[in-house]
Amino acid sequence: MSAQATLSQNPRLREIGDAYARLSRNRSLYTLLLIVVCAVIIVGGFMVADEANSGSFWGGLSNFFDYPADIITGTYAAGWGWFAIVWGYMPFLVETINIAILSTILGFALGALLSFVASRNLVRNRVLVFCMRRIMDICRAFPELVIALVLVLSLGPTPLAAVIAVAFHTIGALAKLFSEVNENADMKPVDGLKSVGATWGQQMRFGVLPQVLPNFLSYGLLRLEINVRASAILGFVGAGGLGAELKKVVDWNYAADISAIIVLLVAAVIGIDYLSGWARRALIGKTGTI
């Protein structure tokens, strides 16, 4: 009570309190307006979609669960033989994981090299940094699916197209993250090495890399999880792996095979998530140092 009395008696505190209350009312009003605008956009979008589909949009919603129900029914009908179907797709899962691992290693190595040249605190030549950053932008600009589609047309339906596509995008994504880590590094070790005549490469190797390597590895393991999913998707354009098999069985509506591949993909992502978490803790530890 005494604190409230002090607030009400002090003009400056009362003014701050009134301003805070006014800001809170405005924020609530803006939030309500935003919700109304979003609701109008969503309803308008549904109406446009309904007209574009000649009124079948809402009618199709009632059949939304028919396809999942068909997959579950087909899987149940396969009985114990479903596990043999799952085992039969294991080689394609291994191929998908191999694509992800190889592309991640290539993207990690080239992205790390590119990040040192693209860091403003490590390179004085602003033109060079600008050019390296634009190269990173180009690598990230094209989705893996588009790159793989072009490479499949050039190289044919081969996993090599998936490796190049995923690695190309990984270089840009990891180089961007790595360069931001580099720019937050402590420059005192670099200045010390520079004062005794160390070359630029020696400054990066012994002054910067020990500081940034834990974050590099953490980002690299996270990217591996992403690349497993990307490698599976690229199979839809003929780049091999489990995605190519999924496209075939979806086209032929083999329900038991579809569920087997989906279960394998989910299990692989969960397994890699746990494995990468364990690797991060083993390599980096709780202190974040190697």
Side-chain angles (χ1 to χ4, degrees), residues 262-282:
I262 291 174
V263 167
L264 274 177
L265 270 177
V266 172
V269 171
I270 292 174
I272 289 173
D273 180 39
Y274 276 101
L275 187 63
S276 62
W278 172 82
R280 269 195 295 269
R281 288 190 295 273

Side-chain angles (χ1 to χ4, degrees), residues 109-208:
L110 296 176
L113 292 174
L114 185 58
S115 72
F116 285 108
V117 192
S119 301
R120 297 184 183 91
N121 60 331
L122 303 179
V123 175
R124 293 181 180 275
N125 190 328
R126 293 290 176 255
V127 176
L128 180 60
V129 172
F130 177 83
C131 293
M132 293 299 106
R133 285 184 171 269
R134 299 296 76 77
I135 291 174
M136 290 157 49
D137 294 342
I138 293 171
C139 291
R140 295 197 310 277
F142 300 98
E144 296 99 328
L145 199 61
V146 175
I147 302 171
L149 186 59
V150 174
L151 290 173
V152 166
L153 293 175
S154 305
L155 303 175
T158 165
L160 180 62
V163 171
I164 296 174
V166 177
F168 188 76
H169 195 274
T170 302
I171 291 171
L174 287 183
K176 170 71 173 173
L177 295 172
F178 290 171
S179 64
E180 291 178 358
V181 173
N182 292 338
E183 292 181 349
N184 289 316
D186 185 2
M187 294 303 291
K188 291 187 179 67
V190 177
D191 295 336
L193 289 166
K194 193 185 302 181
S195 67
V196 296
T199 63
W200 185 84
Q202 291 170 330
Q203 295 169 26
M204 300 302 106
R205 167 65 183 85
F206 298 104
V208 179

Side-chain angles (χ1 to χ4, degrees), residues 52-263:
N53 288 279
S54 301
S56 63
F57 181 79
W58 295 106
L61 286 179
S62 60
N63 302 322
F64 183 77
F65 294 103
D66 288 353
Y67 189 65
D70 290 342
I71 293 176
I72 294 172
T73 304
T75 303
Y76 180 77
W80 293 106
W82 181 79
F83 292 98
I85 296 174
V86 173
W87 183 253
Y89 285 107
M90 284 299 292
F92 299 103
L93 176 63
V94 172
E95 184 181 60
T96 300
I97 294 175
N98 285 340
I99 291 171
I101 292 175
L102 181 57
S103 58
T104 303
I105 292 173
L106 290 173
F108 183 92
L110 296 176
L113 292 174
L114 185 58
S115 72
F116 285 108
V117 192
S119 301
R120 297 184 183 91
N121 60 331
L122 303 179
V123 175
R124 293 181 180 275
N125 190 328
R126 293 290 176 255
V127 176
L128 180 60
V129 172
F130 177 83
C131 293
M132 293 299 106
R133 285 184 171 269
R134 299 296 76 77
I135 291 174
M136 290 157 49
D137 294 342
I138 293 171
C139 291
R140 295 197 310 277
F142 300 98
E144 296 99 328
L145 199 61
V146 175
I147 302 171
L149 186 59
V150 174
L151 290 173
V152 166
L153 293 175
S154 305
L155 303 175
T158 165
L160 180 62
V163 171
I164 296 174
V166 177
F168 188 76
H169 195 274
T170 302
I171 291 171
L174 287 183
K176 170 71 173 173
L177 295 172
F178 290 171
S179 64
E180 291 178 358
V181 173
N182 292 338
E183 292 181 349
N184 289 316
D186 185 2
M187 294 303 291
K188 291 187 179 67
V190 177
D191 295 336
L193 289 166
K194 193 185 302 181
S195 67
V196 296
T199 63
W200 185 84
Q202 291 170 330
Q203 295 169 26
M204 300 302 106
R205 167 65 183 85
F206 298 104
V208 179
L209 190 60
Q211 300 183 57
V212 300
L213 191 56
N215 283 329
F216 278 20
L217 291 173
S218 183
Y219 283 132
L221 290 170
L222 175 63
R223 188 69 199 184
L224 175 62
E225 298 174 29
I226 297 171
N227 285 348
V228 170
R229 291 187 287 270
S231 303
I233 293 170
L234 296 186
F236 277 82
V237 295
L242 206 55
E245 299 304 309
L246 180 60
K247 184 177 184 305
K248 290 179 188 174
V249 297
V250 167
D251 290 343
W252 288 96
N253 199 23
Y254 291 157
D257 295 66
I258 294 171
S259 65
I261 292 175
I262 291 174
V263 167

